[in-house]
Amino acid sequence: MNTYTVGYFVGSLARESINRKLALALTRLAPTELRMREIPIGELPLYSYDYDADYPPTARALKEAIAAVDAVLFVTPEYNRSIPGALKNAIDWGSRPWGRNSFTRKPSGVIGTSPGKIGTAVGQQHLRSIMAFCNSPLMNAIEAYIQFTPGLIADDGEVTVESTREFLREYMAAFHGFITRVYTALPRE
Ligand SMILES: Cc1cc2nc3c(=O)[nH]c(=O)nc-3n(C[C@H](O)[C@H](O)[C@H](O)COP(=O)(O)O)c2cc1C
């Protein structure tokens, strides 16, 4: 089995973010062939193409972090039926300068949780559109829209409901399979 490094983005900057708890759970449940590490986005300034000639250190670090991983995973809330501005800002930084898009051919996945039944479905659809333009092969299936009920995931990432735990485990196994297929079809130069 191939081993890959996955950089995950948490779309929320909130201290008590339920998506951060989900990211922790996914890290625990990932197959041993996936090494998980966070790519932080909270310190990035707002992107402008004025920076293209000379990226600030936080944005350079972001691009280096994306380059250093085999795949990216977005664990994100839905804000106003789309993705949070902080996450879009990070993607904009990663996608530029023109011709140096960090996401091109980089396999990606998306998952998210919200207290409501919709489970971030609409926000995820927006992200699919964005990552298609960024030329990132994004896993189509399985989809994962997680309704966060109180206590579903403990602060240490332990998932308390067995069916959800097994589904998240299955999701990460599917993501591993997807990354393998992408690199089989599109070998790295
Ligand atoms: C600015 C804002 C917009 C939101 N918009 C949505 C929405 O469109 N759909 C939804 O299901 N929940 C929405 N919510 C509620 C979030 O799902 C909820 O706050 C959740 O805890 C966010 O995830 P986080 O804790 O990881 O930040 C919104 C919350 C905020 C702060």
Side-chain angles (χ1 to χ4, degrees), residues 12 14 16-19 77-81 113-115 118:
S12 173
E16 297 296 320
S17 166
I18 57 177
N19 283 278
E78 174 179 296
Y79 279 1
N80 298 317
R81 296 286 181 264
T113 186
S114 68
I118 197 166

Side-chain angles (χ1 to χ4, degrees), residues 3-7 35 66-72 105-107 179 183 188:
T3 298
Y4 302 105
T5 303
V6 174
R35 288 183 300 262
I66 300 169
V69 298
D70 301 303
V72 293
R105 289 189 163 198
K106 184 87 56 178
I179 299 166
Y183 283 122
R188 285 175 273 210

